[in-house]
Amino acid sequence: MTDARSAAWDTYAQSKPQRRRTNARGETTWFNRTQYADHGPGAEVLALDPGDTALDLGCGSGGNLAHLATLGMKAVGVDLSPEAAGQSP
């Protein structure tokens, strides 16, 4: 069954490039919450400590959550779109 909400996000996700394997500094995980590559505040803007929980709604493929997990946070993500999550039906 197709959900109209996820179908709209699937269409959007198909128009976006996949996340790069490394950033400009060669890091394999990083926090990037702007439309510009390697720009904007890092994870410190969240003021989380190792062991804290981060919930990302609309997480896509989970790149930011992966970075938070490497910093010791419990990272949980939810996305309606299988396309955005890189899990096409």
Side-chain angles (χ1 to χ4, degrees), residues 20 22-27 30 37-38:
R20 297 168 291 143
T22 60
N23 68 6
R25 288 181 235 141
E27 300 163 323
W30 66 95
D38 306 323

Side-chain angles (χ1 to χ4, degrees), residues 7-38:
W9 282 110
D10 289 347
T11 301
Y12 173 77
Q14 290 171 357
S15 71
K16 296 296 174 190
Q18 293 294 314
R19 187 176 172 103
R20 297 168 291 143
R21 293 201 184 278
T22 60
N23 68 6
R25 288 181 235 141
E27 300 163 323
T28 57
T29 68
W30 66 95
F31 192 77
N32 193 25
R33 297 299 287 190
T34 72
Q35 68 271 37
Y36 305 109
D38 306 323

Side-chain angles (χ1 to χ4, degrees), residues 3 6-7 11-12 24 26-27 37 40 59-60 62 64-65 71 74 79 83:
D3 182 323
S6 65
T11 301
Y12 173 77
E27 300 163 323
C59 66
N64 286 322
L65 286 173
L71 298 175
K74 297 174 194 164
D79 203 297
E83 291 286 334

